[in-house]
Amino acid sequence: MQPEIEKILGTLELLTQPSLCFDLPGHEDGGNFVPFAWDVSEWGKFNIRNLCLSNGWLKITDVDATFKEWQYLEYIKHFPDFNLSLEQQNFRENSIKKLFQFLENNLEYLESFILDYHSDRTYTKFPGFIIGRTKSGDWIGIAQTVYKETKIPENMISRSPQISINSENLEENTLNLIVKIQEIISELGTIHLSGDLGGGYLYTYEHKFVFTTAKTKELVFEKIIQASEILEVNQFYNFYPNANYLQDWYRDNNYQELSQRYDTINRFFRHTFEETFMYRFSFWTQEYIYVLGKTPGKNLVGLYLDSEFIYNP
């Protein structure tokens, strides 16, 4: 491990001991932030695709199987308030078939993948993603939006709005394809679902198809996961900007000690890094959060949280 990583990790080890708890709403088992480092000499360039690979989440799947899964609405049929008529289901099946045929005829390369996260409480399999390369070398990604249970208040993690990367200098051929893809996706519209997941756990979920474009495979991978709402990328500002929030949450004397510990970590991030970013992956109940800054050697170092929402009627 490189010396610059060891130095920062050593400080974070001290700051996170004893366990640095971080209790997201509804995560009854709690979670703890732990030090994390991405060593470019070992893992290569940091990007979302490489991070998913290193976690064992990224699984390549069959393109035909993914389109059939989309056609038969396998993901949203798990929701208790799913109530599309047979006519509506047939319309969507035909529209998705039209989308598939269009992509097959106009893209040189198609690939499907899923993000297979690790949880003992898997409620449903997440839908697959499709990415493809145009004849002019640009990339297009298509996916469905997914449901996530956990909402993180600004009073827990203060952060910027989502950071999105604009697609620049796309070729004319790609722009023409986008028009047709947008037309088909617009036909599908948005399915609004809301109700009770059981035991009084109310939910609201808007399901729709989304697409993104990029100049590289790695970038379209990141952008389509963001568009699906699994991934959130923000500039990180600080933990617990309002100490009163901690006091209301814990309602005992422990909040003062915890507030001081997070204040120290906030100062450390500001002193050590020019910018710090939050990468949040939400898999229904499971939350994986990275708060990372970049070193002069292009390594990333910071904190990592693995936490799970618990349904407990």
Side-chain angles (χ1 to χ4, degrees), residues 85-102:
S85 67
L86 183 59
E87 181 181 357
Q88 290 172 315
Q89 293 183 50
N90 289 337
F91 174 79
R92 295 183 70 83
E93 182 178 332
N94 291 331
S95 293
I96 292 169
K97 181 179 180 180
K98 181 167 62 175
L99 175 63
F100 183 30
Q101 291 173 339
F102 178 78

Side-chain angles (χ1 to χ4, degrees), residues 97-236:
K97 181 179 180 180
K98 181 167 62 175
L99 175 63
F100 183 30
Q101 291 173 339
F102 178 78
L103 295 178
E104 275 196 315
N105 293 334
N106 290 277
L107 297 181
E108 289 187 333
Y109 170 83
L110 281 177
E111 179 181 298
S112 176
F113 66 90
I114 60 170
L115 295 180
D116 186 13
Y117 67 105
H118 315 298
S119 173
D120 294 331
R121 302 183 180 94
T122 301
Y123 292 90
T124 182
K125 177 185 173 183
F126 267 47
F129 298 77
I130 298 286
I131 60 174
R133 186 179 62 235
T134 70
K135 294 175 182 178
S136 53
D138 296 324
W139 287 82
I140 293 174
I142 302 177
Q144 304 173 61
T145 55
V146 301
Y147 176 70
K148 58 184 177 185
E149 183 63 63
T150 304
K151 295 177 175 59
I152 303 179
E154 278 288 316
N155 279 328
M156 294 193 80
I157 302 180
S158 177
R159 57 203 188 274
S160 72
Q162 275 253 46
I163 296 172
S164 58
I165 303 170
N166 294 326
S167 298
E168 297 180 354
N169 303 319
L170 295 174
E171 300 297 331
E172 183 177 356
N173 168 260
T174 305
L175 297 175
N176 293 333
L177 295 179
I178 289 171
V179 172
K180 183 61 178 178
I181 292 170
Q182 180 64 67
E183 178 185 315
I184 299 173
I185 286 179
S186 295
E187 290 177 4
L188 292 166
T190 301
I191 299 174
H192 304 275
L193 295 171
S194 63
D196 190 338
L197 290 171
Y201 286 92
L202 303 180
Y203 79 98
T204 299
Y205 165 48
E206 293 194 348
H207 172 275
K208 60 184 177 182
F209 278 86
V210 290
F211 75 96
T212 57
T213 57
K215 298 297 290 185
T216 67
K217 182 177 182 178
E218 289 75 19
L219 188 53
V220 83
F221 182 95
E222 176 176 339
K223 291 180 67 175
I224 196 57
I225 295 175
Q226 271 190 285
S228 76
E229 301 182 17
I230 288 177
L231 172 66
E232 179 182 337
V233 181
N234 317 84
Q235 187 172 352
F236 169 83

Side-chain angles (χ1 to χ4, degrees), residues 8-26:
I8 298 172
L9 275 184
T11 303
L12 288 173
E13 289 281 1
L14 293 173
L15 295 178
T16 55
Q17 293 298 326
S19 298
L20 183 66
C21 65
F22 194 79
D23 297 323
L24 291 167

